[in-house]
Amino acid sequence: MLSLIWTILFLHVAIYLVNTIGASTIDSLLWLLYLKLPTSTSKNAREQSRLKREALQLKRDMNNTSSQDEFAKWAKLRRRHDKTMDEYEQMNKQLTAQKTSFDWSVKIARWVSTNGLKMFLQFWYSKTPVFALPEAWFPYYVQWILSFPRAPLGSVSVHVWNSVCATAISVLAELVTSMFLQKAGTARPTPAQKTQ
């Protein structure tokens, strides 16, 4: 079992990744993965895609057929196109409703597994010290702040550790990003270097 220190750290890494990548990007990726599973929803999505291709092909055929010279053929293509478009729109409404339901489920699961878990840990372990401070290293007021609000004096509380982890991850990510950008900037030759 992970200790409380590592659990909170990994939780804040997950929260940072979700916030950085973006919830909508993660939702879209999960929806695409869900459509790869053998479910009725994926069958409907394949059918919708087939209907869309068929409607586009019929539209091209209609545009290539003269409505005055070949009216019977054009009218037949028009009826098939209209019927295909109606089926496509019905399938699209059904898939949109299923995607909305899926998005809500994913948002709830994401919130419970990140921020909900963080709040639960803060409540459940509010009186539990994350780790103890070395004795006589810090004055009373520093010990009191680090143990705020309910951890024993001389220890670090869950609330303080949450703040430390969130700040450290954010600063570390900024540092790594700036180092990466600096490295990428020096790897490309500048216009002055190209002319030499």
Side-chain angles (χ1 to χ4, degrees):
M1 180 80 185
L2 284 176
S3 69
L4 190 57
I5 294 173
W6 293 108
T7 303
I8 293 172
L9 180 67
F10 291 142
L11 179 64
H12 279 282
V13 168
I15 290 171
Y16 182 82
L17 289 175
V18 167
N19 291 339
T20 303
I21 294 169
S24 60
T25 304
I26 294 171
D27 291 351
S28 298
L29 178 64
L30 289 175
W31 175 250
L32 291 175
L33 291 174
Y34 179 69
L35 290 180
K36 300 292 183 191
L37 297 174
T39 61
S40 62
T41 305
S42 61
K43 182 181 175 186
N44 290 344
R46 285 192 300 273
E47 179 67 16
Q48 179 206 27
S49 178
R50 184 193 66 77
L51 288 170
K52 183 177 180 180
R53 284 192 308 271
E54 186 177 335
L56 289 172
Q57 183 61 43
L58 289 169
K59 184 72 171 175
R60 273 190 232 113
D61 292 346
M62 276 176 39
N63 290 338
N64 293 334
T65 304
S66 171
S67 61
Q68 294 173 347
D69 297 338
E70 302 173 86
F71 181 74
K73 181 179 178 185
W74 183 86
K76 183 179 178 184
L77 286 171
R78 175 71 187 231
R79 285 191 300 272
R80 283 182 53 203
H81 176 264
D82 290 346
K83 181 182 176 194
T84 305
M85 281 303 293
D86 287 341
E87 290 175 12
Y88 171 76
E89 288 172 5
Q90 288 177 353
M91 191 67 68
N92 195 30
K93 286 180 185 176
Q94 185 180 8
L95 272 176
T96 301
Q98 290 173 339
K99 185 173 188 320
T100 302
S101 173
F102 177 83
D103 284 345
W104 273 104
S105 301
V106 167
K107 285 177 185 178
I108 289 169
R110 183 179 52 249
W111 187 87
V112 166
S113 63
T114 55
N115 291 322
L117 181 59
K118 181 177 108 177
M119 289 172 52
F120 171 76
L121 288 174
Q122 285 181 341
F123 171 75
W124 191 259
Y125 292 104
S126 65
K127 292 183 179 179
T128 306
V130 176
F131 59 88
L133 297 171
E135 227 172 288
W137 274 30
F138 300 101
Y140 172 79
Y141 60 91
V142 173
Q143 290 181 14
W144 182 83
I145 290 172
L146 292 177
S147 65
F148 185 80
R150 295 170 38 176
L153 194 62
S155 65
V156 175
S157 71
V158 171
H159 300 281
V160 171
W161 186 245
N162 269 318
S163 300
V164 168
C165 287
T167 304
I169 289 168
S170 144
V171 167
L172 185 64
E174 289 291 326
L175 181 67
V176 168
T177 303
S178 66
M179 285 174 43
F180 177 75
L181 291 175
Q182 184 181 16
K183 185 74 169 175
T186 58
R188 282 186 266 142
T190 62
Q193 291 173 336
K194 288 181 182 179
T195 58
Q196 292 179 356

